[in-house]
mmCIF file of all heavy atoms in Angstrom:
data_model
loop_
_atom_site.group_PDB
_atom_site.id
_atom_site.type_symbol
_atom_site.label_atom_id
_atom_site.label_comp_id
_atom_site.label_asym_id
_atom_site.label_seq_id
_atom_site.Cartn_x
_atom_site.Cartn_y
_atom_site.Cartn_z
ATOM 1 N N LYS A 61 70.134 113.924 93.319
ATOM 2 C CA LYS A 61 69.877 113.811 91.858
ATOM 3 C C LYS A 61 68.820 112.808 91.500
ATOM 4 O O LYS A 61 68.083 113.001 90.570
ATOM 5 C CB LYS A 61 71.157 113.444 91.224
ATOM 6 C CG LYS A 61 72.253 114.483 91.326
ATOM 7 C CD LYS A 61 73.504 114.044 90.539
ATOM 8 C CE LYS A 61 74.548 115.176 90.548
ATOM 9 N NZ LYS A 61 75.712 114.712 89.800
ATOM 10 N N VAL A 62 68.641 111.700 92.396
ATOM 11 C CA VAL A 62 67.730 110.659 91.938
ATOM 12 C C VAL A 62 67.215 109.987 93.163
ATOM 13 O O VAL A 62 68.122 109.708 94.172
ATOM 14 C CB VAL A 62 68.340 109.758 90.912
ATOM 15 C CG1 VAL A 62 69.487 109.002 91.385
ATOM 16 C CG2 VAL A 62 67.241 108.787 90.390
ATOM 17 N N PHE A 63 65.972 109.571 93.225
ATOM 18 C CA PHE A 63 65.507 108.812 94.357
ATOM 19 C C PHE A 63 65.861 107.241 93.969
ATOM 20 O O PHE A 63 66.725 106.683 94.621
ATOM 21 C CB PHE A 63 64.067 108.997 94.541
ATOM 22 C CG PHE A 63 63.428 108.206 95.719
ATOM 23 C CD1 PHE A 63 63.787 108.645 96.963
ATOM 24 C CD2 PHE A 63 62.544 107.171 95.484
ATOM 25 C CE1 PHE A 63 63.220 107.959 98.092
ATOM 26 C CE2 PHE A 63 62.019 106.534 96.660
ATOM 27 C CZ PHE A 63 62.387 106.890 97.899
ATOM 28 N N ALA A 64 65.188 106.705 92.980
ATOM 29 C CA ALA A 64 65.495 105.404 92.448
ATOM 30 C C ALA A 64 64.807 105.263 91.122
ATOM 31 O O ALA A 64 63.579 105.486 91.099
ATOM 32 C CB ALA A 64 65.094 104.317 93.457
ATOM 33 N N ALA A 65 65.596 104.901 90.158
ATOM 34 C CA ALA A 65 65.028 104.777 88.789
ATOM 35 C C ALA A 65 64.377 103.443 88.446
ATOM 36 O O ALA A 65 63.975 103.236 87.312
ATOM 37 C CB ALA A 65 66.065 105.166 87.771
ATOM 38 N N GLY A 66 64.315 102.622 89.452
ATOM 39 C CA GLY A 66 63.625 101.351 89.221
ATOM 40 C C GLY A 66 64.501 100.129 89.481
ATOM 41 O O GLY A 66 65.547 100.264 90.032
ATOM 42 N N ALA A 67 64.043 99.047 89.029
ATOM 43 C CA ALA A 67 64.776 97.769 89.099
ATOM 44 C C ALA A 67 65.936 97.683 88.195
ATOM 45 O O ALA A 67 66.082 98.531 87.321
ATOM 46 C CB ALA A 67 63.881 96.539 88.845
ATOM 47 N N ASP A 68 66.905 96.847 88.457
ATOM 48 C CA ASP A 68 68.020 96.549 87.564
ATOM 49 C C ASP A 68 67.627 95.744 86.432
ATOM 50 O O ASP A 68 67.416 94.500 86.538
ATOM 51 C CB ASP A 68 69.184 95.871 88.368
ATOM 52 C CG ASP A 68 70.403 95.788 87.574
ATOM 53 O OD1 ASP A 68 70.376 95.586 86.331
ATOM 54 O OD2 ASP A 68 71.509 95.985 88.171
ATOM 55 N N ILE A 69 67.290 96.374 85.268
ATOM 56 C CA ILE A 69 66.585 95.659 84.158
ATOM 57 C C ILE A 69 67.557 94.568 83.561
ATOM 58 O O ILE A 69 67.064 93.497 83.169
ATOM 59 C CB ILE A 69 66.208 96.695 83.060
ATOM 60 C CG1 ILE A 69 65.181 97.831 83.637
ATOM 61 C CG2 ILE A 69 65.540 95.956 81.893
ATOM 62 C CD1 ILE A 69 64.061 97.196 84.250
ATOM 63 N N LYS A 70 68.851 94.886 83.492
ATOM 64 C CA LYS A 70 69.777 93.928 82.980
ATOM 65 C C LYS A 70 69.754 92.562 83.879
ATOM 66 O O LYS A 70 69.722 91.496 83.328
ATOM 67 C CB LYS A 70 71.149 94.360 82.844
ATOM 68 C CG LYS A 70 71.290 95.529 81.848
ATOM 69 C CD LYS A 70 72.773 95.940 81.779
ATOM 70 C CE LYS A 70 72.926 96.994 80.614
ATOM 71 N NZ LYS A 70 74.401 97.548 80.582
ATOM 72 N N GLU A 71 69.655 92.809 85.104
ATOM 73 C CA GLU A 71 69.552 91.629 86.063
ATOM 74 C C GLU A 71 68.255 90.869 85.865
ATOM 75 O O GLU A 71 68.273 89.697 85.898
ATOM 76 C CB GLU A 71 69.733 92.135 87.496
ATOM 77 C CG GLU A 71 69.709 91.032 88.524
ATOM 78 C CD GLU A 71 69.809 91.585 90.008
ATOM 79 O OE1 GLU A 71 68.800 92.298 90.402
ATOM 80 O OE2 GLU A 71 70.780 91.390 90.588
ATOM 81 N N MET A 72 67.202 91.601 85.713
ATOM 82 C CA MET A 72 65.906 90.956 85.521
ATOM 83 C C MET A 72 65.735 90.302 84.218
ATOM 84 O O MET A 72 65.175 89.167 84.042
ATOM 85 C CB MET A 72 64.692 92.059 85.673
ATOM 86 C CG MET A 72 64.565 92.574 87.001
ATOM 87 S SD MET A 72 63.265 93.800 87.033
ATOM 88 C CE MET A 72 61.872 92.877 86.496
ATOM 89 N N GLN A 73 66.483 90.877 83.153
ATOM 90 C CA GLN A 73 66.344 90.198 81.809
ATOM 91 C C GLN A 73 66.954 88.791 81.833
ATOM 92 O O GLN A 73 66.508 87.959 81.035
ATOM 93 C CB GLN A 73 67.109 91.136 80.814
ATOM 94 C CG GLN A 73 66.961 90.646 79.426
ATOM 95 C CD GLN A 73 67.684 91.538 78.436
ATOM 96 O OE1 GLN A 73 68.724 92.234 78.821
ATOM 97 N NE2 GLN A 73 67.404 91.511 77.094
ATOM 98 N N ALA A 74 67.887 88.598 82.691
ATOM 99 C CA ALA A 74 68.566 87.264 82.777
ATOM 100 C C ALA A 74 67.773 86.250 83.513
ATOM 101 O O ALA A 74 68.170 85.060 83.576
ATOM 102 C CB ALA A 74 69.951 87.448 83.295
ATOM 103 N N MET A 75 66.582 86.678 84.109
ATOM 104 C CA MET A 75 65.888 85.823 84.969
ATOM 105 C C MET A 75 64.757 85.172 84.129
ATOM 106 O O MET A 75 64.050 85.878 83.387
ATOM 107 C CB MET A 75 65.251 86.539 86.192
ATOM 108 C CG MET A 75 66.427 87.131 87.057
ATOM 109 S SD MET A 75 65.776 88.125 88.432
ATOM 110 C CE MET A 75 65.057 86.800 89.426
ATOM 111 N N ASP A 76 64.452 83.918 84.292
ATOM 112 C CA ASP A 76 63.368 83.202 83.696
ATOM 113 C C ASP A 76 62.230 83.114 84.645
ATOM 114 O O ASP A 76 62.250 83.582 85.715
ATOM 115 C CB ASP A 76 63.725 81.912 83.101
ATOM 116 C CG ASP A 76 64.234 80.924 84.245
ATOM 117 O OD1 ASP A 76 64.086 81.224 85.286
ATOM 118 O OD2 ASP A 76 64.840 79.847 83.893
ATOM 119 N N HIS A 77 61.169 82.466 84.186
ATOM 120 C CA HIS A 77 59.973 82.406 84.974
ATOM 121 C C HIS A 77 60.255 81.731 86.336
ATOM 122 O O HIS A 77 59.763 82.221 87.395
ATOM 123 C CB HIS A 77 58.778 81.644 84.177
ATOM 124 C CG HIS A 77 57.651 81.279 85.048
ATOM 125 N ND1 HIS A 77 57.332 80.044 85.515
ATOM 126 C CD2 HIS A 77 56.683 82.033 85.550
ATOM 127 C CE1 HIS A 77 56.309 80.055 86.326
ATOM 128 N NE2 HIS A 77 55.864 81.283 86.329
ATOM 129 N N THR A 78 60.930 80.606 86.359
ATOM 130 C CA THR A 78 61.232 79.917 87.560
ATOM 131 C C THR A 78 62.040 80.791 88.558
ATOM 132 O O THR A 78 61.738 80.867 89.743
ATOM 133 C CB THR A 78 62.044 78.677 87.256
ATOM 134 O OG1 THR A 78 61.263 77.762 86.397
ATOM 135 C CG2 THR A 78 62.367 77.862 88.548
ATOM 136 N N ALA A 79 62.998 81.548 88.012
ATOM 137 C CA ALA A 79 63.776 82.361 88.928
ATOM 138 C C ALA A 79 62.908 83.451 89.499
ATOM 139 O O ALA A 79 63.151 83.775 90.738
ATOM 140 C CB ALA A 79 64.956 83.000 88.063
ATOM 141 N N MET A 80 62.071 84.046 88.758
ATOM 142 C CA MET A 80 61.254 85.119 89.376
ATOM 143 C C MET A 80 60.141 84.629 90.290
ATOM 144 O O MET A 80 59.833 85.238 91.278
ATOM 145 C CB MET A 80 60.564 85.935 88.210
ATOM 146 C CG MET A 80 59.880 87.207 88.724
ATOM 147 S SD MET A 80 60.893 88.127 89.874
ATOM 148 C CE MET A 80 61.974 89.028 88.662
ATOM 149 N N VAL A 81 59.628 83.339 90.053
ATOM 150 C CA VAL A 81 58.699 82.713 91.019
ATOM 151 C C VAL A 81 59.416 82.753 92.316
ATOM 152 O O VAL A 81 58.834 82.982 93.384
ATOM 153 C CB VAL A 81 58.248 81.409 90.567
ATOM 154 C CG1 VAL A 81 57.576 80.584 91.676
ATOM 155 C CG2 VAL A 81 57.233 81.563 89.310
ATOM 156 N N LEU A 82 60.670 82.304 92.334
ATOM 157 C CA LEU A 82 61.452 82.113 93.627
ATOM 158 C C LEU A 82 61.848 83.514 94.192
ATOM 159 O O LEU A 82 61.993 83.547 95.444
ATOM 160 C CB LEU A 82 62.674 81.371 93.356
ATOM 161 C CG LEU A 82 62.487 79.844 92.855
ATOM 162 C CD1 LEU A 82 63.840 79.281 92.460
ATOM 163 C CD2 LEU A 82 61.832 79.095 93.939
ATOM 164 N N ARG A 83 61.877 84.583 93.400
ATOM 165 C CA ARG A 83 62.332 85.815 93.912
ATOM 166 C C ARG A 83 61.192 86.824 94.202
ATOM 167 O O ARG A 83 61.390 87.674 94.988
ATOM 168 C CB ARG A 83 63.232 86.505 92.785
ATOM 169 C CG ARG A 83 63.832 87.852 93.185
ATOM 170 C CD ARG A 83 64.720 87.767 94.333
ATOM 171 N NE ARG A 83 64.820 89.113 95.035
ATOM 172 C CZ ARG A 83 65.457 89.259 96.187
ATOM 173 N NH1 ARG A 83 66.068 88.193 96.836
ATOM 174 N NH2 ARG A 83 65.554 90.414 96.814
ATOM 175 N N ALA A 84 60.011 86.661 93.566
ATOM 176 C CA ALA A 84 58.952 87.652 93.686
ATOM 177 C C ALA A 84 58.571 87.919 95.123
ATOM 178 O O ALA A 84 58.342 89.027 95.427
ATOM 179 C CB ALA A 84 57.803 87.208 92.814
ATOM 180 N N ARG A 85 58.467 86.914 95.946
ATOM 181 C CA ARG A 85 58.053 87.121 97.312
ATOM 182 C C ARG A 85 59.030 87.844 98.160
ATOM 183 O O ARG A 85 58.724 88.771 98.930
ATOM 184 C CB ARG A 85 57.826 85.753 98.024
ATOM 185 C CG ARG A 85 57.537 85.843 99.499
ATOM 186 C CD ARG A 85 56.239 86.795 99.781
ATOM 187 N NE ARG A 85 55.058 86.194 99.261
ATOM 188 C CZ ARG A 85 54.230 85.344 99.845
ATOM 189 N NH1 ARG A 85 54.605 84.849 101.131
ATOM 190 N NH2 ARG A 85 53.178 84.796 99.357
ATOM 191 N N ALA A 86 60.320 87.675 97.774
ATOM 192 C CA ALA A 86 61.475 88.311 98.561
ATOM 193 C C ALA A 86 61.437 89.755 98.099
ATOM 194 O O ALA A 86 61.677 90.712 98.992
ATOM 195 C CB ALA A 86 62.771 87.708 98.281
ATOM 196 N N LEU A 87 61.113 90.082 96.848
ATOM 197 C CA LEU A 87 61.016 91.451 96.338
ATOM 198 C C LEU A 87 59.914 92.164 97.154
ATOM 199 O O LEU A 87 60.112 93.294 97.617
ATOM 200 C CB LEU A 87 60.694 91.478 94.817
ATOM 201 C CG LEU A 87 60.243 92.755 94.245
ATOM 202 C CD1 LEU A 87 61.253 93.845 94.300
ATOM 203 C CD2 LEU A 87 59.818 92.512 92.826
ATOM 204 N N GLN A 88 58.732 91.566 97.167
ATOM 205 C CA GLN A 88 57.666 92.232 97.963
ATOM 206 C C GLN A 88 57.964 92.321 99.328
ATOM 207 O O GLN A 88 57.599 93.409 100.012
ATOM 208 C CB GLN A 88 56.350 91.470 97.658
ATOM 209 C CG GLN A 88 55.781 91.572 96.235
ATOM 210 C CD GLN A 88 54.397 90.984 96.173
ATOM 211 O OE1 GLN A 88 54.014 90.170 96.990
ATOM 212 N NE2 GLN A 88 53.723 91.320 95.072
ATOM 213 N N ASP A 89 58.619 91.322 99.960
ATOM 214 C CA ASP A 89 58.894 91.378 101.342
ATOM 215 C C ASP A 89 59.870 92.484 101.760
ATOM 216 O O ASP A 89 59.676 93.088 102.818
ATOM 217 C CB ASP A 89 59.482 90.030 101.923
ATOM 218 C CG ASP A 89 58.498 88.927 101.881
ATOM 219 O OD1 ASP A 89 57.332 89.200 101.836
ATOM 220 O OD2 ASP A 89 58.873 87.735 102.094
ATOM 221 N N ALA A 90 60.762 92.854 100.887
ATOM 222 C CA ALA A 90 61.677 93.945 101.071
ATOM 223 C C ALA A 90 60.889 95.175 101.182
ATOM 224 O O ALA A 90 61.126 96.109 102.215
ATOM 225 C CB ALA A 90 62.729 93.994 100.031
ATOM 226 N N PHE A 91 59.950 95.467 100.338
ATOM 227 C CA PHE A 91 59.209 96.751 100.384
ATOM 228 C C PHE A 91 58.157 96.693 101.505
ATOM 229 O O PHE A 91 57.915 97.773 102.127
ATOM 230 C CB PHE A 91 58.510 97.032 99.048
ATOM 231 C CG PHE A 91 59.381 97.405 97.872
ATOM 232 C CD1 PHE A 91 60.478 96.497 97.436
ATOM 233 C CD2 PHE A 91 59.335 98.665 97.411
ATOM 234 C CE1 PHE A 91 61.285 96.929 96.456
ATOM 235 C CE2 PHE A 91 60.261 99.056 96.352
ATOM 236 C CZ PHE A 91 61.243 98.135 95.959
ATOM 237 N N THR A 92 57.564 95.609 101.819
ATOM 238 C CA THR A 92 56.610 95.487 102.882
ATOM 239 C C THR A 92 57.406 95.758 104.234
ATOM 240 O O THR A 92 56.764 96.386 105.100
ATOM 241 C CB THR A 92 56.013 94.012 102.904
ATOM 242 O OG1 THR A 92 55.227 93.911 101.683
ATOM 243 C CG2 THR A 92 55.040 93.876 104.110
ATOM 244 N N ALA A 93 58.579 95.375 104.338
ATOM 245 C CA ALA A 93 59.335 95.677 105.548
ATOM 246 C C ALA A 93 59.454 97.150 105.785
ATOM 247 O O ALA A 93 59.400 97.644 106.962
ATOM 248 C CB ALA A 93 60.791 95.068 105.494
ATOM 249 N N VAL A 94 59.558 97.940 104.670
ATOM 250 C CA VAL A 94 59.595 99.374 104.855
ATOM 251 C C VAL A 94 58.291 100.006 105.205
ATOM 252 O O VAL A 94 58.088 100.752 106.149
ATOM 253 C CB VAL A 94 60.095 100.028 103.497
ATOM 254 C CG1 VAL A 94 60.067 101.566 103.507
ATOM 255 C CG2 VAL A 94 61.539 99.529 103.174
ATOM 256 N N ALA A 95 57.207 99.422 104.588
ATOM 257 C CA ALA A 95 55.911 99.870 104.733
ATOM 258 C C ALA A 95 55.337 99.624 106.194
ATOM 259 O O ALA A 95 54.613 100.371 106.742
ATOM 260 C CB ALA A 95 54.881 99.233 103.777
ATOM 261 N N ARG A 96 56.028 98.566 106.808
ATOM 262 C CA ARG A 96 55.484 98.159 108.115
ATOM 263 C C ARG A 96 56.509 98.708 109.251
ATOM 264 O O ARG A 96 56.369 98.220 110.332
ATOM 265 C CB ARG A 96 55.390 96.633 108.108
ATOM 266 C CG ARG A 96 54.194 96.233 107.306
ATOM 267 C CD ARG A 96 53.904 94.721 107.466
ATOM 268 N NE ARG A 96 52.775 94.328 106.635
ATOM 269 C CZ ARG A 96 52.279 93.114 106.375
ATOM 270 N NH1 ARG A 96 53.028 92.051 106.827
ATOM 271 N NH2 ARG A 96 51.251 92.854 105.674
ATOM 272 N N ILE A 97 57.415 99.555 108.906
ATOM 273 C CA ILE A 97 58.108 100.153 109.990
ATOM 274 C C ILE A 97 57.053 100.909 110.857
ATOM 275 O O ILE A 97 56.295 101.739 110.385
ATOM 276 C CB ILE A 97 59.216 101.147 109.473
ATOM 277 C CG1 ILE A 97 60.204 100.471 108.674
ATOM 278 C CG2 ILE A 97 59.771 101.991 110.568
ATOM 279 C CD1 ILE A 97 61.183 101.411 107.872
#
């Protein structure tokens, strides 16, 4: 029915700038791990 409709917006809405600065690298690293299989 669905591949993936995107990020969890409610979870993201609760994050401020500091929280996303700390998270953004881990987000990219997760996808890069797939790209580098």
Side-chain angles (χ1 to χ4, degrees):
K61 293 183 179 180
V62 62
F63 186 68
D68 188 319
I69 303 302
K70 291 183 179 179
E71 182 181 66
M72 288 180 62
Q73 186 181 22
M75 301 175 73
D76 59 13
H77 172 253
T78 301
M80 188 49 76
V81 167
L82 296 173
R83 181 64 203 171
R85 174 59 66 88
L87 167 64
Q88 289 188 344
D89 285 350
F91 285 68
T92 297
V94 177
R96 291 186 177 169
I97 294 172

